[in-house]
Amino acid sequence: MTQTNTGCHAIFRQFIADGMTHMFGNPGTVEQGFLDAMADFPEMRYILTLQESVAVLSADGYARATQKPTLVQLHSSPGIGNAVGALYQAKRGHAPLVVIAGDAGIRYMNMDAQMAADLVAMMEPVTKYATMVLDPRHLLRTLRRAIKIAATPPMGPVYVCLPADVMDAVNDEPVFPSCIPSTRVRPDDAVTAEAARLLGGSTRPVILCGDGVAWSGANAALERVAETLGAEIWVADGGDLNVATTHPCLQGGTGHMFGSVSLPITRKGDGVLVVGTYLLPEVFPELGDIFDPAARIVHLDLNAYEIAKNHRVDLGVVCDPRCGLEALDEALRATMPAEARSAAAARVAAMRQAKASATAAQAAVDRDRAAQPQATMEAFAAALATRLPEDAIVFDESLTSSMAFNRAIPRTRPGSYFFTRGGSLGVGFPGALGAQMANPGSLVVGLTGDGGSMYTIQVLYTAKKYGTKTLFVVCNNSRYKLLDLNIAHYWQEQRIPSHAFPASFDLSDPPLGFVDLARGMGVPARRIERADQIAAVLDEALATDGPFLIDLVLTEHTDDHTPGCKCGQ
């Protein structure tokens, strides 16, 4: 008779007590008893992926869509080694992943046997917390601690190594839900009043926001503060929908690669409110002062480590972004003089008019590009916009095609749009799968490039296996196009004359056969090369009950596709 009082069974009881119902993973031998025990827990759904980075990035998408800690199961040293890059992405994006992986057993640790490694040390750099359970009596206690750490802001992935002999041992620990402390902290009234004083008299106010806004449900509060101040909104390190893309105050995003792109944004304000983000998410950041020396800087966030970490802040406030913004808006409305309120309203009106004019002008350009005979993102996105259900969700890693896509399909509903964050390629397709599993009744569109798709193309197998309603779109320009754009910027900065791009950026020879790859994993697929093919292929894709892949061949790219201060990347 199979024992049901072992650690293997206790683990599942703990996860179910915490409301966890999906486990994204890839199995291995040292976890065989644990995975065998799962048959006794029909509440738990195992999502089989064919490579560990796919498991992590799918769980990342699920966690972002549910805003809940999400399970990942990996296998010993090879498994976690394969997952390290994806876990770095999750850590930079503050995804609350609970990663468990097996090990041969404590009794074998001094043998230096096959697959032996310092597993905790391997995972420490890419997790918020990493540990190994050394005693069966502390198994569930350790899991609850890990879940709490993962889900408490600043959130992030955690790792618990579960040796096989610990899992196989009898376990009589009590099972009860993990306690995730509330962080709905409102700032002190005196602190809020000081923030209002510092910002209320600004004539050039700027707001820099990130995903702490969306995770705290502060979207509406952010928009109200922006309107009260008459402030421009710029997204910094934003992968979730923190503000409606149609809002008049939203100007775009700070730079992703180069601090020189962000500098004109950060220095324009005489009053700067930073909320729910850090300064700044760039690969090559500005080393000097990023603000006007006379500017007053207020930073609201739950991540105390990031406040004033690199740049001057006049008032740092550790608080929930929504609570902080709501309190700040009340204080601003109560203290701003009539003249300042009138000037703020005028700035909002001017931004609304400027945005309407710019949108109309760009729409004309987009219509011209959509009318070209070859396929363009403008034509594809315009056709998709007329067909998307209202509850559709987008997971976007299209990078150099993202601007055109989002102009055609503006997003206003929180939770309806996710953008890649963290710096590594490959999240677009597994992120879309995870988001769809979190919203099984909704269509999810996953966008990525041809280069990015090949990091995690195995996700198509998982999508087919579980019948996810997911439209996968490969933006295929036969290049690592973003690298072309980045090196062109580098040449300009270094005063190097333009010349041929490095051959290592080219993906055209041999050509990648995405239709064949998809069909080889059971997913129907079509290739689009001409604009007149778009409508029929989209109709077929959206009528398909399950996943579908489109190989969208994009042969022409113009300057407006270049990521920069307006792109949000």
Side-chain angles (χ1 to χ4, degrees):
M1 178 180 293
T2 302
Q3 282 187 288
T4 60
N5 61 341
T6 66
C8 294
H9 286 76
I11 293 168
F12 283 109
R13 294 187 183 104
Q14 181 62 55
F15 289 150
I16 290 168
D18 282 315
M20 296 178 170
T21 58
H22 288 65
M23 180 185 294
F24 297 84
N26 183 263
T29 302
V30 297
E31 300 86 19
Q32 56 193 2
F34 167 70
L35 295 174
D36 189 41
M38 190 168 61
D40 294 329
F41 299 92
E43 309 95 316
M44 181 64 69
R45 189 180 189 195
Y46 189 87
I47 308 302
L48 174 64
T49 67
L50 301 185
Q51 210 271 353
E52 289 82 359
S53 60
V54 177
V56 171
L57 295 175
S58 297
D60 181 277
Y62 186 91
R64 291 175 69 176
T66 60
Q67 296 194 337
K68 295 179 180 178
T70 300
L71 283 173
V72 180
Q73 176 268 317
L74 303 177
H75 168 57
S76 196
S77 49
I80 67 175
N82 286 340
V84 162
L87 281 167
Y88 176 84
Q89 171 104 353
K91 183 179 181 182
R92 297 295 298 196
H94 298 289
L97 305 185
V98 179
V99 181
I100 59 172
D103 183 67
I106 294 172
R107 57 186 165 175
Y108 301 118
M109 283 185 179
N110 292 113
M111 296 294 294
D112 194 24
Q114 181 80 351
M115 293 192 296
D118 190 342
L119 303 179
V120 173
M122 288 175 67
M123 293 292 262
E124 280 179 335
V126 293
T127 58
K128 185 180 174 185
Y129 171 71
T131 192
M132 176 184 288
V133 181
L134 298 174
D135 189 310
R137 293 169 295 182
H138 303 294
L139 176 59
L140 301 191
R141 174 184 288 117
T142 304
L143 287 175
R144 285 191 292 268
R145 179 192 307 158
I147 293 166
K148 182 201 75 167
I149 292 171
T152 302
M155 293 171 293
V158 297
Y159 165 69
V160 180
C161 180
L162 301 173
D165 43 13
V166 170
M167 290 192 286
D168 290 339
V170 170
N171 189 289
D172 57 5
E173 287 181 274
V175 176
F176 52 87
S178 303
C179 178
I180 299 172
S182 171
T183 55
R184 288 290 186 194
V185 181
R186 182 182 173 97
D188 180 82
D189 289 344
V191 173
T192 303
E194 177 64 5
R197 185 189 70 79
L198 290 171
L199 298 171
S202 304
T203 59
R204 294 174 282 113
V206 170
I207 296 175
L208 303 173
C209 71
D211 288 341
V213 171
W215 276 79
S216 66
N219 305 62
L222 174 70
E223 293 172 4
R224 287 197 303 272
V225 169
E227 293 163 14
T228 300
L229 284 172
E232 295 183 359
I233 300 175
W234 294 86
V235 177
D237 194 41
D240 296 343
L241 190 66
N242 297 292
V243 57
T245 59
T246 55
H247 194 278
C249 295
L250 180 62
Q251 304 298 299
T254 59
H256 168 65
M257 291 298 300
F258 303 100
S260 57
V261 173
S262 303
L263 202 57
I265 300 167
T266 57
R267 281 193 175 162
K268 69 166 54 180
D270 63 346
V272 180
L273 172 62
V274 186
V275 58
T277 190
Y278 66 99
L279 300 174
L280 273 163
E282 302 147 343
V283 178
F284 304 105
E286 178 68 23
L287 298 179
D289 190 356
I290 64 171
F291 299 118
D292 182 327
R296 298 167 300 279
I297 317 300
V298 176
H299 193 158
L300 311 180
D301 201 359
L302 281 168
N303 192 346
Y305 172 74
E306 294 293 349
I307 297 175
K309 182 181 75 174
N310 290 326
H311 300 290
R312 174 175 62 89
V313 169
D314 297 299
L315 180 63
V317 186
V318 178
C319 67
D320 174 73
R322 190 181 78 189
C323 295
L325 287 168
E326 289 173 347
L328 177 60
D329 189 48
E330 293 170 9
L332 287 169
R333 292 176 184 273
T335 60
M336 282 178 65
E339 182 179 352
R341 292 199 301 270
S342 178
R347 288 193 293 270
V348 174
M351 284 187 280
R352 180 177 287 108
Q353 180 58 48
K355 190 161 191 169
S357 299
T359 299
Q362 185 62 58
V365 174
D366 289 346
R367 285 193 296 271
D368 287 344
R369 281 186 50 76
Q372 296 177 18
Q374 71 270 22
T376 62
M377 178 51 78
E378 287 82 357
F380 180 83
L384 181 61
T386 65
R387 293 166 167 80
L388 271 185
E390 287 188 6
D391 64 346
I393 297 168
V394 172
F395 203 108
D396 182 8
E397 193 193 21
S398 60
L399 300 179
T400 55
S401 295
S402 182
M403 290 175 65
F405 182 88
N406 283 289
R407 288 195 298 267
I409 307 176
R411 313 304 294 185
T412 59
R413 178 171 56 86
S416 66
Y417 178 80
F418 302 97
F419 191 70
T420 181
R421 61 188 184 187
S424 66
L425 288 179
V427 69
F429 281 4
L433 178 133
Q436 205 285 327
M437 287 190 160
N439 297 274
S442 299
L443 169 70
V444 177
V445 179
L447 299 148
T448 190
D450 45 342
S453 69
M454 291 306 297
Y455 282 62
T456 51
I457 197 70
Q458 306 95 323
V459 75
L460 298 179
Y461 172 89
T462 302
K464 178 64 177 179
K465 183 178 183 69
Y466 299 102
T468 62
K469 181 68 173 176
T470 315
L471 174 58
F472 299 106
V473 181
V474 180
C475 302
N476 185 356
N477 52 33
S478 299
R479 300 195 60 77
Y480 288 116
K481 185 67 177 178
L482 188 62
L483 296 184
D484 290 350
L485 303 175
N486 289 339
I487 201 169
H489 188 104
Y490 169 78
W491 290 337
Q492 183 180 14
E493 280 195 340
Q494 300 296 318
R495 296 183 172 85
I496 298 173
S498 296
H499 51 278
F501 292 119
S504 55
F505 296 0
D506 177 62
L507 298 173
S508 64
D509 184 21
L512 290 163
F514 290 104
V515 171
D516 291 338
L517 284 167
R519 290 175 177 169
M521 287 179 273
V523 174
R526 293 286 184 271
R527 180 177 171 94
I528 295 176
E529 297 178 345
R530 304 187 315 274
D532 61 9
Q533 297 173 308
I534 293 174
V537 171
L538 278 177
D539 288 341
E540 179 184 358
L542 297 178
T544 300
D545 185 18
F548 194 99
L549 180 136
I550 293 176
D551 179 8
L552 179 63
V553 179
L554 303 172
T555 57
E556 181 185 0
H557 284 254
T558 57
D559 289 343
D560 74 296
H561 291 69
T562 303
C565 64
K566 289 284 185 179
C567 83
Q569 153 59 344

